[in-house]
Amino acid sequence: FDLELVAVESTIESLGYSQETRKQVVQLEVAQPLGRLLREDLNRQAEFQKADNIQFSFTDNIVAVEGATQFSESSTVVLRHLFHLALLSASTRIPEMRLPRFLMLDGIEDGGMELERSYRLQEIIVNECAKFTCDYQLIFATSQIAPKLENEKYVVARQFSENSRSLYIM
C-alpha cells in the first residue's frame, strides 16, 4: 500500500511540474509576440515602443508593459486587441494550447483612437495572421477599414452606411 501511495504522489508531482512548465512556455509564447506587435504600433505610447518586459495574469486580469498597467484609453484598446491576437498567435504554434483558433475583435477604433492608428492596428492584425500556418478564423469589425485592406480578400458582404444600415428591415 505504501508503494502505491508513493507512486501516486510521484505521478501528481510530475504532472504538476509538467503543468508549470507548459504555463511558462505559453507565457513566453504570448509575451514575445505581444511585445513585437506593440512595437509595430504608431509611436503613441512610450512603453509600447520598448515592450521588452511583458507580464500578464489571467487571475488578476492584468497586462503590464514595461511595468506599467495604466495607459491612455486608445492605448488600452490597442493593448487589448493585440493581447488577444498574441493569444491566438500562440495557439497556432502550441498544439496542446486549449484556446480555440477563433477570434472576434470589435471596436477597433474605440477609445477615441485616431484614424491613422486604427488603420495601423488593422494592418498589424492582418500581417500577423498572414504568418499562421494552420486553420484559424479572425473577424474584426470596424467602421473605418484601412484603405490597404478594402478589397475582396478582407471585406465580407456589403459596406454599411447611413442609408444602408447593418439591420435591413423591410
Side-chain angles (χ1 to χ4, degrees):
F1 182 74
D2 287 337
L3 211 50
E4 286 178 30
L5 183 58
V6 168
V8 168
E9 288 173 346
S10 177
T11 300
I12 291 170
E13 186 177 326
S14 176
L15 290 172
Y17 177 77
S18 295
Q19 183 180 26
E20 280 306 309
T21 302
R22 279 193 307 274
K23 282 182 186 178
Q24 291 172 2
V25 166
V26 168
Q27 180 92 17
L28 188 63
E29 287 292 324
V30 172
Q32 285 182 338
L34 178 56
R36 176 178 46 77
L37 295 168
L38 289 170
R39 288 188 293 275
E40 293 177 24
D41 184 27
L42 298 181
N43 189 6
R44 302 295 187 266
Q45 187 72 47
E47 294 86 354
F48 292 5
Q49 295 308 298
K50 187 172 182 191
D52 290 326
N53 182 10
I54 308 278
Q55 300 293 320
F56 62 92
S57 168
F58 292 112
T59 306
D60 298 328
N61 193 27
I62 199 162
V63 179
V65 180
E66 298 301 314
T69 57
Q70 300 293 314
F71 305 102
S72 70
E73 194 173 353
S74 61
S75 290
T76 300
V77 170
V78 169
L79 177 60
R80 180 180 70 237
H81 289 316
L82 293 182
F83 177 74
H84 289 125
L85 181 61
L87 282 171
L88 176 65
S89 184
S91 78
T92 67
R93 294 185 309 278
I94 304 172
E96 60 274 2
M97 195 167 162
R98 292 186 178 149
L99 182 78
R101 291 187 183 128
F102 171 79
L103 182 59
M104 184 179 290
L105 302 174
D106 192 13
I108 292 292
E109 59 276 307
D110 283 354
M113 189 180 308
E114 63 185 289
L115 195 55
E116 184 182 357
R117 194 174 191 193
S118 170
Y119 289 168
R120 182 65 193 135
L121 177 58
Q122 294 171 47
E123 291 166 5
I124 291 169
I125 292 167
V126 169
N127 292 340
E128 182 69 8
C129 290
K131 299 173 185 175
F132 300 164
T133 58
C134 63
D135 289 338
Y136 71 95
Q137 184 173 13
L138 185 136
I139 299 168
F140 69 81
T142 180
S143 61
Q144 299 269 334
I145 190 161
K148 291 179 184 177
L149 305 177
E150 196 166 358
N151 58 60
E152 290 179 359
K153 182 175 180 180
Y154 302 111
V155 178
V156 177
R158 63 184 172 80
Q159 187 171 20
F160 304 118
S161 68
E162 188 66 30
N163 297 326
S164 177
R165 301 205 180 241
S166 59
L167 292 177
Y168 182 70
I169 302 172
M170 298 179 75

